[in-house]
PDB file of all heavy atoms in Angstrom:
ATOM      1  N   CYS A  13      -7.106  16.484  -7.830  1.00 87.00           N
ATOM      2  CA  CYS A  13      -7.812  16.144  -6.603  1.00 87.00           C
ATOM      3  C   CYS A  13      -6.863  15.405  -5.671  1.00 87.00           C
ATOM      4  O   CYS A  13      -6.121  14.523  -6.084  1.00 87.00           O
ATOM      5  CB  CYS A  13      -9.030  15.267  -6.913  1.00 87.00           C
ATOM      6  SG  CYS A  13      -9.836  14.618  -5.446  1.00 87.00           S
ATOM      7  N   GLU A  14      -6.878  15.776  -4.386  1.00 87.00           N
ATOM      8  CA  GLU A  14      -5.974  15.139  -3.438  1.00 87.00           C
ATOM      9  C   GLU A  14      -6.597  13.962  -2.702  1.00 87.00           C
ATOM     10  O   GLU A  14      -5.930  13.296  -1.918  1.00 87.00           O
ATOM     11  CB  GLU A  14      -5.468  16.172  -2.436  1.00 87.00           C
ATOM     12  CG  GLU A  14      -6.584  16.828  -1.657  1.00 87.00           C
ATOM     13  CD  GLU A  14      -6.085  17.962  -0.768  1.00 87.00           C
ATOM     14  OE1 GLU A  14      -5.144  18.653  -1.148  1.00 87.00           O
ATOM     15  OE2 GLU A  14      -6.664  18.119   0.311  1.00 87.00           O
ATOM     16  N   TYR A  15      -7.852  13.650  -2.970  1.00 88.00           N
ATOM     17  CA  TYR A  15      -8.549  12.567  -2.272  1.00 88.00           C
ATOM     18  C   TYR A  15      -8.536  11.261  -3.070  1.00 88.00           C
ATOM     19  O   TYR A  15      -9.543  10.579  -3.182  1.00 88.00           O
ATOM     20  CB  TYR A  15      -9.988  12.980  -1.960  1.00 88.00           C
ATOM     21  CG  TYR A  15     -10.073  14.222  -1.117  1.00 88.00           C
ATOM     22  CD1 TYR A  15     -10.527  15.412  -1.649  1.00 88.00           C
ATOM     23  CD2 TYR A  15      -9.651  14.194   0.202  1.00 88.00           C
ATOM     24  CE1 TYR A  15     -10.585  16.556  -0.877  1.00 88.00           C
ATOM     25  CE2 TYR A  15      -9.697  15.334   0.975  1.00 88.00           C
ATOM     26  CZ  TYR A  15     -10.169  16.513   0.436  1.00 88.00           C
ATOM     27  OH  TYR A  15     -10.210  17.635   1.203  1.00 88.00           O
ATOM     28  N   THR A  16      -7.402  10.897  -3.619  1.00 89.00           N
ATOM     29  CA  THR A  16      -7.293   9.664  -4.394  1.00 89.00           C
ATOM     30  C   THR A  16      -7.223   8.468  -3.452  1.00 89.00           C
ATOM     31  O   THR A  16      -6.860   8.607  -2.279  1.00 89.00           O
ATOM     32  CB  THR A  16      -6.042   9.693  -5.281  1.00 89.00           C
ATOM     33  OG1 THR A  16      -4.901   9.908  -4.464  1.00 89.00           O
ATOM     34  CG2 THR A  16      -6.146  10.789  -6.344  1.00 89.00           C
ATOM     35  N   TYR A  17      -7.593   7.309  -3.970  1.00 88.00           N
ATOM     36  CA  TYR A  17      -7.536   6.083  -3.177  1.00 88.00           C
ATOM     37  C   TYR A  17      -7.027   4.943  -4.049  1.00 88.00           C
ATOM     38  O   TYR A  17      -7.043   5.016  -5.266  1.00 88.00           O
ATOM     39  CB  TYR A  17      -8.897   5.743  -2.578  1.00 88.00           C
ATOM     40  CG  TYR A  17      -9.994   5.484  -3.586  1.00 88.00           C
ATOM     41  CD1 TYR A  17     -10.258   4.192  -4.021  1.00 88.00           C
ATOM     42  CD2 TYR A  17     -10.752   6.528  -4.093  1.00 88.00           C
ATOM     43  CE1 TYR A  17     -11.251   3.949  -4.947  1.00 88.00           C
ATOM     44  CE2 TYR A  17     -11.760   6.292  -5.015  1.00 88.00           C
ATOM     45  CZ  TYR A  17     -12.010   5.006  -5.435  1.00 88.00           C
ATOM     46  OH  TYR A  17     -12.991   4.768  -6.354  1.00 88.00           O
ATOM     47  N   GLU A  18      -6.571   3.892  -3.352  1.00 87.00           N
ATOM     48  CA  GLU A  18      -6.011   2.730  -4.025  1.00 87.00           C
ATOM     49  C   GLU A  18      -7.083   1.677  -4.244  1.00 87.00           C
ATOM     50  O   GLU A  18      -7.880   1.399  -3.353  1.00 87.00           O
ATOM     51  CB  GLU A  18      -4.899   2.127  -3.161  1.00 87.00           C
ATOM     52  CG  GLU A  18      -3.614   1.952  -3.861  1.00 87.00           C
ATOM     53  CD  GLU A  18      -2.532   1.434  -2.929  1.00 87.00           C
ATOM     54  OE1 GLU A  18      -2.648   1.529  -1.712  1.00 87.00           O
ATOM     55  OE2 GLU A  18      -1.558   0.929  -3.485  1.00 87.00           O
ATOM     56  N   MET A  19      -7.076   1.076  -5.461  1.00 82.00           N
ATOM     57  CA  MET A  19      -7.966  -0.045  -5.753  1.00 82.00           C
ATOM     58  C   MET A  19      -7.134  -1.070  -6.519  1.00 82.00           C
ATOM     59  O   MET A  19      -6.816  -0.871  -7.685  1.00 82.00           O
ATOM     60  CB  MET A  19      -9.175   0.395  -6.588  1.00 82.00           C
ATOM     61  CG  MET A  19     -10.149  -0.739  -6.832  1.00 82.00           C
ATOM     62  SD  MET A  19     -11.747  -0.279  -7.520  1.00 82.00           S
ATOM     63  CE  MET A  19     -11.334   0.784  -8.857  1.00 82.00           C
ATOM     64  N   ASN A  20      -6.751  -2.144  -5.820  1.00 79.00           N
ATOM     65  CA  ASN A  20      -5.836  -3.167  -6.345  1.00 79.00           C
ATOM     66  C   ASN A  20      -4.516  -2.501  -6.732  1.00 79.00           C
ATOM     67  O   ASN A  20      -3.880  -1.909  -5.886  1.00 79.00           O
ATOM     68  CB  ASN A  20      -6.462  -3.944  -7.498  1.00 79.00           C
ATOM     69  CG  ASN A  20      -7.696  -4.714  -7.063  1.00 79.00           C
ATOM     70  OD1 ASN A  20      -7.783  -5.122  -5.912  1.00 79.00           O
ATOM     71  ND2 ASN A  20      -8.636  -4.904  -7.966  1.00 79.00           N
ATOM     72  N   ALA A  21      -4.110  -2.571  -7.996  1.00 78.00           N
ATOM     73  CA  ALA A  21      -2.845  -1.972  -8.410  1.00 78.00           C
ATOM     74  C   ALA A  21      -3.016  -0.555  -8.933  1.00 78.00           C
ATOM     75  O   ALA A  21      -2.046   0.105  -9.291  1.00 78.00           O
ATOM     76  CB  ALA A  21      -2.200  -2.832  -9.485  1.00 78.00           C
ATOM     77  N   LEU A  22      -4.246  -0.059  -8.984  1.00 83.00           N
ATOM     78  CA  LEU A  22      -4.524   1.262  -9.547  1.00 83.00           C
ATOM     79  C   LEU A  22      -4.751   2.297  -8.455  1.00 83.00           C
ATOM     80  O   LEU A  22      -5.114   1.969  -7.324  1.00 83.00           O
ATOM     81  CB  LEU A  22      -5.787   1.209 -10.421  1.00 83.00           C
ATOM     82  CG  LEU A  22      -5.746   0.297 -11.641  1.00 83.00           C
ATOM     83  CD1 LEU A  22      -7.110   0.273 -12.301  1.00 83.00           C
ATOM     84  CD2 LEU A  22      -4.702   0.775 -12.614  1.00 83.00           C
ATOM     85  N   VAL A  23      -4.555   3.555  -8.815  1.00 86.00           N
ATOM     86  CA  VAL A  23      -4.944   4.676  -7.974  1.00 86.00           C
ATOM     87  C   VAL A  23      -6.122   5.342  -8.682  1.00 86.00           C
ATOM     88  O   VAL A  23      -6.093   5.549  -9.902  1.00 86.00           O
ATOM     89  CB  VAL A  23      -3.778   5.670  -7.780  1.00 86.00           C
ATOM     90  CG1 VAL A  23      -4.216   6.865  -6.967  1.00 86.00           C
ATOM     91  CG2 VAL A  23      -2.607   4.981  -7.110  1.00 86.00           C
ATOM     92  N   VAL A  24      -7.185   5.649  -7.925  1.00 88.00           N
ATOM     93  CA  VAL A  24      -8.432   6.147  -8.508  1.00 88.00           C
ATOM     94  C   VAL A  24      -8.754   7.514  -7.930  1.00 88.00           C
ATOM     95  O   VAL A  24      -8.577   7.760  -6.732  1.00 88.00           O
ATOM     96  CB  VAL A  24      -9.591   5.161  -8.214  1.00 88.00           C
ATOM     97  CG1 VAL A  24     -10.880   5.635  -8.832  1.00 88.00           C
ATOM     98  CG2 VAL A  24      -9.246   3.761  -8.704  1.00 88.00           C
ATOM     99  N   CYS A  25      -9.264   8.399  -8.779  1.00 89.00           N
ATOM    100  CA  CYS A  25      -9.728   9.720  -8.358  1.00 89.00           C
ATOM    101  C   CYS A  25     -11.244   9.659  -8.183  1.00 89.00           C
ATOM    102  O   CYS A  25     -11.962   9.321  -9.129  1.00 89.00           O
ATOM    103  CB  CYS A  25      -9.355  10.765  -9.394  1.00 89.00           C
ATOM    104  SG  CYS A  25      -9.998  12.404  -8.998  1.00 89.00           S
ATOM    105  N   PRO A  26     -11.781  10.022  -7.004  1.00 89.00           N
ATOM    106  CA  PRO A  26     -13.229   9.962  -6.805  1.00 89.00           C
ATOM    107  C   PRO A  26     -13.988  11.090  -7.512  1.00 89.00           C
ATOM    108  O   PRO A  26     -15.181  10.958  -7.774  1.00 89.00           O
ATOM    109  CB  PRO A  26     -13.377  10.070  -5.290  1.00 89.00           C
ATOM    110  CG  PRO A  26     -12.161  10.798  -4.844  1.00 89.00           C
ATOM    111  CD  PRO A  26     -11.081  10.394  -5.791  1.00 89.00           C
ATOM    112  N   GLU A  27     -13.323  12.186  -7.850  1.00 89.00           N
ATOM    113  CA  GLU A  27     -14.023  13.316  -8.465  1.00 89.00           C
ATOM    114  C   GLU A  27     -14.217  13.139  -9.965  1.00 89.00           C
ATOM    115  O   GLU A  27     -15.314  13.315 -10.478  1.00 89.00           O
ATOM    116  CB  GLU A  27     -13.293  14.617  -8.167  1.00 89.00           C
ATOM    117  CG  GLU A  27     -13.399  15.012  -6.709  1.00 89.00           C
ATOM    118  CD  GLU A  27     -12.762  16.353  -6.415  1.00 89.00           C
ATOM    119  OE1 GLU A  27     -12.318  17.044  -7.357  1.00 89.00           O
ATOM    120  OE2 GLU A  27     -12.695  16.711  -5.231  1.00 89.00           O
ATOM    121  N   CYS A  28     -13.141  12.772 -10.688  1.00 88.00           N
ATOM    122  CA  CYS A  28     -13.252  12.657 -12.149  1.00 88.00           C
ATOM    123  C   CYS A  28     -13.291  11.209 -12.628  1.00 88.00           C
ATOM    124  O   CYS A  28     -13.558  10.955 -13.792  1.00 88.00           O
ATOM    125  CB  CYS A  28     -12.127  13.416 -12.848  1.00 88.00           C
ATOM    126  SG  CYS A  28     -10.498  12.680 -12.643  1.00 88.00           S
ATOM    127  N   GLY A  29     -12.985  10.243 -11.742  1.00 86.00           N
ATOM    128  CA  GLY A  29     -13.037   8.840 -12.117  1.00 86.00           C
ATOM    129  C   GLY A  29     -11.804   8.339 -12.855  1.00 86.00           C
ATOM    130  O   GLY A  29     -11.781   7.210 -13.331  1.00 86.00           O
ATOM    131  N   HIS A  30     -10.760   9.142 -12.937  1.00 86.00           N
ATOM    132  CA  HIS A  30      -9.536   8.746 -13.631  1.00 86.00           C
ATOM    133  C   HIS A  30      -8.817   7.660 -12.843  1.00 86.00           C
ATOM    134  O   HIS A  30      -8.695   7.734 -11.615  1.00 86.00           O
ATOM    135  CB  HIS A  30      -8.626   9.960 -13.819  1.00 86.00           C
ATOM    136  CG  HIS A  30      -7.342   9.669 -14.512  1.00 86.00           C
ATOM    137  ND1 HIS A  30      -7.288   9.212 -15.811  1.00 86.00           N
ATOM    138  CD2 HIS A  30      -6.048   9.758 -14.088  1.00 86.00           C
ATOM    139  CE1 HIS A  30      -6.021   9.032 -16.153  1.00 86.00           C
ATOM    140  NE2 HIS A  30      -5.251   9.359 -15.132  1.00 86.00           N
ATOM    141  N   GLU A  31      -8.331   6.608 -13.546  1.00 85.00           N
ATOM    142  CA  GLU A  31      -7.569   5.518 -12.926  1.00 85.00           C
ATOM    143  C   GLU A  31      -6.198   5.460 -13.582  1.00 85.00           C
ATOM    144  O   GLU A  31      -6.073   5.593 -14.792  1.00 85.00           O
ATOM    145  CB  GLU A  31      -8.287   4.184 -13.137  1.00 85.00           C
ATOM    146  CG  GLU A  31      -9.671   4.131 -12.549  1.00 85.00           C
ATOM    147  CD  GLU A  31     -10.376   2.821 -12.855  1.00 85.00           C
ATOM    148  OE1 GLU A  31      -9.935   2.084 -13.756  1.00 85.00           O
ATOM    149  OE2 GLU A  31     -11.382   2.537 -12.199  1.00 85.00           O
ATOM    150  N   TRP A  32      -5.146   5.217 -12.785  1.00 82.00           N
ATOM    151  CA  TRP A  32      -3.802   5.100 -13.326  1.00 82.00           C
ATOM    152  C   TRP A  32      -2.939   4.259 -12.409  1.00 82.00           C
ATOM    153  O   TRP A  32      -3.271   4.020 -11.252  1.00 82.00           O
ATOM    154  CB  TRP A  32      -3.187   6.477 -13.554  1.00 82.00           C
ATOM    155  CG  TRP A  32      -2.784   7.223 -12.314  1.00 82.00           C
ATOM    156  CD1 TRP A  32      -1.531   7.305 -11.790  1.00 82.00           C
ATOM    157  CD2 TRP A  32      -3.617   7.989 -11.444  1.00 82.00           C
ATOM    158  NE1 TRP A  32      -1.531   8.067 -10.654  1.00 82.00           N
ATOM    159  CE2 TRP A  32      -2.805   8.500 -10.417  1.00 82.00           C
ATOM    160  CE3 TRP A  32      -4.979   8.294 -11.434  1.00 82.00           C
ATOM    161  CZ2 TRP A  32      -3.296   9.297  -9.385  1.00 82.00           C
ATOM    162  CZ3 TRP A  32      -5.468   9.080 -10.407  1.00 82.00           C
ATOM    163  CH2 TRP A  32      -4.641   9.576  -9.401  1.00 82.00           C
ATOM    164  N   VAL A  33      -1.819   3.793 -12.964  1.00 81.00           N
ATOM    165  CA  VAL A  33      -0.838   3.043 -12.198  1.00 81.00           C
ATOM    166  C   VAL A  33       0.249   4.036 -11.793  1.00 81.00           C
ATOM    167  O   VAL A  33       0.901   4.616 -12.663  1.00 81.00           O
ATOM    168  CB  VAL A  33      -0.228   1.885 -13.036  1.00 81.00           C
ATOM    169  CG1 VAL A  33       0.813   1.137 -12.229  1.00 81.00           C
ATOM    170  CG2 VAL A  33      -1.320   0.961 -13.519  1.00 81.00           C
ATOM    171  N   PRO A  34       0.469   4.256 -10.506  1.00 73.00           N
ATOM    172  CA  PRO A  34       1.423   5.299 -10.095  1.00 73.00           C
ATOM    173  C   PRO A  34       2.860   5.021 -10.512  1.00 73.00           C
ATOM    174  O   PRO A  34       3.580   5.930 -10.842  1.00 73.00           O
ATOM    175  CB  PRO A  34       1.288   5.331  -8.571  1.00 73.00           C
ATOM    176  CG  PRO A  34       0.668   4.042  -8.203  1.00 73.00           C
ATOM    177  CD  PRO A  34      -0.155   3.610  -9.370  1.00 73.00           C
ATOM    178  N   ALA A  35       3.306   3.766 -10.565  1.00 63.00           N
ATOM    179  CA  ALA A  35       4.682   3.455 -10.952  1.00 63.00           C
ATOM    180  C   ALA A  35       4.915   3.758 -12.419  1.00 63.00           C
ATOM    181  O   ALA A  35       5.975   4.228 -12.803  1.00 63.00           O
ATOM    182  CB  ALA A  35       5.000   1.997 -10.663  1.00 63.00           C
ATOM    183  N   ALA A  36       3.946   3.492 -13.287  1.00 47.00           N
ATOM    184  CA  ALA A  36       4.095   3.745 -14.715  1.00 47.00           C
ATOM    185  C   ALA A  36       4.186   5.230 -14.999  1.00 47.00           C
ATOM    186  O   ALA A  36       4.914   5.663 -15.868  1.00 47.00           O
ATOM    187  CB  ALA A  36       2.922   3.141 -15.487  1.00 47.00           C
ATOM    188  N   GLU A  37       3.451   6.036 -14.249  1.00 45.00           N
ATOM    189  CA  GLU A  37       3.489   7.478 -14.467  1.00 45.00           C
ATOM    190  C   GLU A  37       4.849   8.050 -14.112  1.00 45.00           C
ATOM    191  O   GLU A  37       5.408   8.851 -14.832  1.00 45.00           O
ATOM    192  CB  GLU A  37       2.417   8.157 -13.612  1.00 45.00           C
ATOM    193  CG  GLU A  37       2.422   9.665 -13.748  1.00 45.00           C
ATOM    194  CD  GLU A  37       1.472  10.314 -12.769  1.00 45.00           C
ATOM    195  OE1 GLU A  37       0.278  10.024 -12.834  1.00 45.00           O
ATOM    196  OE2 GLU A  37       1.947  11.111 -11.944  1.00 45.00           O
ATOM    197  N   GLY A  38       5.457   7.606 -13.021  1.00 46.00           N
ATOM    198  CA  GLY A  38       6.757   8.114 -12.599  1.00 46.00           C
ATOM    199  C   GLY A  38       7.860   7.753 -13.572  1.00 46.00           C
ATOM    200  O   GLY A  38       8.740   8.536 -13.850  1.00 46.00           O
ATOM    201  N   SER A  39       7.830   6.528 -14.132  1.00 45.00           N
ATOM    202  CA  SER A  39       8.884   6.139 -15.066  1.00 45.00           C
ATOM    203  C   SER A  39       8.720   6.823 -16.407  1.00 45.00           C
ATOM    204  O   SER A  39       9.682   7.084 -17.089  1.00 45.00           O
ATOM    205  CB  SER A  39       8.892   4.614 -15.244  1.00 45.00           C
ATOM    206  OG  SER A  39       7.690   4.186 -15.843  1.00 45.00           O
ATOM    207  N   ALA A  40       7.492   7.143 -16.808  1.00 44.00           N
ATOM    208  CA  ALA A  40       7.269   7.799 -18.091  1.00 44.00           C
ATOM    209  C   ALA A  40       7.760   9.244 -18.046  1.00 44.00           C
ATOM    210  O   ALA A  40       8.257   9.769 -19.032  1.00 44.00           O
ATOM    211  CB  ALA A  40       5.789   7.758 -18.463  1.00 44.00           C
ATOM    212  N   GLU A  41       7.628   9.895 -16.884  1.00 44.00           N
ATOM    213  CA  GLU A  41       8.079  11.281 -16.786  1.00 44.00           C
ATOM    214  C   GLU A  41       9.596  11.373 -16.760  1.00 44.00           C
ATOM    215  O   GLU A  41      10.187  12.198 -17.419  1.00 44.00           O
ATOM    216  CB  GLU A  41       7.518  11.919 -15.504  1.00 44.00           C
ATOM    217  CG  GLU A  41       6.041  12.182 -15.561  1.00 44.00           C
ATOM    218  CD  GLU A  41       5.518  12.720 -14.241  1.00 44.00           C
ATOM    219  OE1 GLU A  41       6.319  12.869 -13.294  1.00 44.00           O
ATOM    220  OE2 GLU A  41       4.321  12.985 -14.160  1.00 44.00           O
ATOM    221  N   GLY A  42      10.260  10.502 -16.021  1.00 43.00           N
ATOM    222  CA  GLY A  42      11.700  10.591 -15.861  1.00 43.00           C
ATOM    223  C   GLY A  42      12.486   9.936 -16.978  1.00 43.00           C
ATOM    224  O   GLY A  42      13.622  10.281 -17.225  1.00 43.00           O
ATOM    225  N   GLY A  43      11.895   8.973 -17.675  1.00 44.00           N
ATOM    226  CA  GLY A  43      12.635   8.198 -18.662  1.00 44.00           C
ATOM    227  C   GLY A  43      12.899   8.927 -19.954  1.00 44.00           C
ATOM    228  O   GLY A  43      13.949   8.783 -20.544  1.00 44.00           O
ATOM    229  N   GLY A  44      11.938   9.690 -20.451  1.00 44.00           N
ATOM    230  CA  GLY A  44      12.125  10.379 -21.720  1.00 44.00           C
ATOM    231  C   GLY A  44      11.760   9.503 -22.905  1.00 44.00           C
ATOM    232  O   GLY A  44      10.952   9.856 -23.718  1.00 44.00           O
ATOM    233  N   ALA A  45      12.359   8.312 -23.036  1.00 47.00           N
ATOM    234  CA  ALA A  45      12.080   7.410 -24.146  1.00 47.00           C
ATOM    235  C   ALA A  45      11.457   6.126 -23.598  1.00 47.00           C
ATOM    236  O   ALA A  45      12.057   5.074 -23.650  1.00 47.00           O
ATOM    237  CB  ALA A  45      13.362   7.113 -24.910  1.00 47.00           C
ATOM    238  N   ALA A  46      10.262   6.244 -23.049  1.00 46.00           N
ATOM    239  CA  ALA A  46       9.636   5.102 -22.372  1.00 46.00           C
ATOM    240  C   ALA A  46       9.235   4.007 -23.358  1.00 46.00           C
ATOM    241  O   ALA A  46       9.285   2.841 -23.029  1.00 46.00           O
ATOM    242  CB  ALA A  46       8.420   5.576 -21.591  1.00 46.00           C
ATOM    243  N   GLY A  47       8.845   4.354 -24.582  1.00 53.00           N
ATOM    244  CA  GLY A  47       8.369   3.362 -25.526  1.00 53.00           C
ATOM    245  C   GLY A  47       9.471   2.734 -26.361  1.00 53.00           C
ATOM    246  O   GLY A  47       9.208   1.849 -27.146  1.00 53.00           O
ATOM    247  N   GLU A  48      10.699   3.178 -26.194  1.00 67.00           N
ATOM    248  CA  GLU A  48      11.796   2.691 -27.014  1.00 67.00           C
ATOM    249  C   GLU A  48      12.241   1.305 -26.555  1.00 67.00           C
ATOM    250  O   GLU A  48      12.349   1.031 -25.370  1.00 67.00           O
ATOM    251  CB  GLU A  48      12.960   3.671 -26.912  1.00 67.00           C
ATOM    252  CG  GLU A  48      13.833   3.674 -28.121  1.00 67.00           C
ATOM    253  CD  GLU A  48      14.824   4.814 -28.080  1.00 67.00           C
ATOM    254  OE1 GLU A  48      14.392   5.961 -28.054  1.00 67.00           O
ATOM    255  OE2 GLU A  48      16.030   4.522 -28.077  1.00 67.00           O
ATOM    256  N   ARG A  49      12.519   0.435 -27.509  1.00 77.00           N
ATOM    257  CA  ARG A  49      12.933  -0.934 -27.221  1.00 77.00           C
ATOM    258  C   ARG A  49      14.432  -0.955 -26.945  1.00 77.00           C
ATOM    259  O   ARG A  49      15.216  -0.339 -27.653  1.00 77.00           O
ATOM    260  CB  ARG A  49      12.602  -1.794 -28.443  1.00 77.00           C
ATOM    261  CG  ARG A  49      12.798  -3.262 -28.248  1.00 77.00           C
ATOM    262  CD  ARG A  49      12.292  -4.002 -29.452  1.00 77.00           C
ATOM    263  NE  ARG A  49      13.004  -3.619 -30.654  1.00 77.00           N
ATOM    264  CZ  ARG A  49      13.958  -4.361 -31.214  1.00 77.00           C
ATOM    265  NH1 ARG A  49      14.263  -5.513 -30.720  1.00 77.00           N
ATOM    266  NH2 ARG A  49      14.572  -3.949 -32.304  1.00 77.00           N
ATOM    267  N   VAL A  50      14.840  -1.687 -25.929  1.00 87.00           N
ATOM    268  CA  VAL A  50      16.250  -1.794 -25.565  1.00 87.00           C
ATOM    269  C   VAL A  50      16.727  -3.192 -25.920  1.00 87.00           C
ATOM    270  O   VAL A  50      16.135  -4.179 -25.511  1.00 87.00           O
ATOM    271  CB  VAL A  50      16.456  -1.521 -24.060  1.00 87.00           C
ATOM    272  CG1 VAL A  50      17.905  -1.721 -23.669  1.00 87.00           C
ATOM    273  CG2 VAL A  50      15.989  -0.126 -23.704  1.00 87.00           C
ATOM    274  N   VAL A  51      17.803  -3.282 -26.709  1.00 90.00           N
ATOM    275  CA  VAL A  51      18.386  -4.562 -27.106  1.00 90.00           C
ATOM    276  C   VAL A  51      19.728  -4.692 -26.405  1.00 90.00           C
ATOM    277  O   VAL A  51      20.566  -3.803 -26.484  1.00 90.00           O
ATOM    278  CB  VAL A  51      18.565  -4.644 -28.640  1.00 90.00           C
ATOM    279  CG1 VAL A  51      19.225  -5.949 -29.032  1.00 90.00           C
ATOM    280  CG2 VAL A  51      17.232  -4.482 -29.336  1.00 90.00           C
ATOM    281  N   LYS A  52      19.914  -5.835 -25.701  1.00 92.00           N
ATOM    282  CA  LYS A  52      21.156  -6.067 -24.977  1.00 92.00           C
ATOM    283  C   LYS A  52      21.875  -7.280 -25.562  1.00 92.00           C
ATOM    284  O   LYS A  52      21.250  -8.204 -26.059  1.00 92.00           O
ATOM    285  CB  LYS A  52      20.876  -6.311 -23.495  1.00 92.00           C
ATOM    286  CG  LYS A  52      20.294  -5.087 -22.814  1.00 92.00           C
ATOM    287  CD  LYS A  52      20.128  -5.312 -21.349  1.00 92.00           C
ATOM    288  CE  LYS A  52      19.587  -4.061 -20.695  1.00 92.00           C
ATOM    289  NZ  LYS A  52      19.465  -4.226 -19.249  1.00 92.00           N
ATOM    290  N   ASP A  53      23.206  -7.256 -25.473  1.00 92.00           N
ATOM    291  CA  ASP A  53      23.999  -8.378 -25.980  1.00 92.00           C
ATOM    292  C   ASP A  53      24.055  -9.501 -24.944  1.00 92.00           C
ATOM    293  O   ASP A  53      23.354  -9.463 -23.925  1.00 92.00           O
ATOM    294  CB  ASP A  53      25.389  -7.915 -26.399  1.00 92.00           C
ATOM    295  CG  ASP A  53      26.249  -7.430 -25.240  1.00 92.00           C
ATOM    296  OD1 ASP A  53      25.781  -7.442 -24.084  1.00 92.00           O
ATOM    297  OD2 ASP A  53      27.394  -7.044 -25.491  1.00 92.00           O
ATOM    298  N   SER A  54      24.890 -10.494 -25.181  1.00 92.00           N
ATOM    299  CA  SER A  54      24.937 -11.676 -24.325  1.00 92.00           C
ATOM    300  C   SER A  54      25.431 -11.386 -22.909  1.00 92.00           C
ATOM    301  O   SER A  54      25.154 -12.152 -21.999  1.00 92.00           O
ATOM    302  CB  SER A  54      25.817 -12.748 -24.958  1.00 92.00           C
ATOM    303  OG  SER A  54      27.136 -12.271 -25.094  1.00 92.00           O
TER     304      SER A  54
END
Side-chain angles (χ1 to χ4, degrees):
C13 172
E14 59 186 34
Y15 301 109
T16 57
Y17 62 93
E18 233 176 341
M19 183 169 48
N20 297 330
L22 298 175
V23 177
V24 181
C25 176
E27 290 184 6
C28 70
H30 180 63
E31 300 177 344
W32 73 99
V33 179
E37 178 187 300
S39 64
E41 289 176 359
E48 208 170 299
R49 188 173 61 103
V50 176
V51 178
K52 295 184 178 182
D53 66 0
S54 62

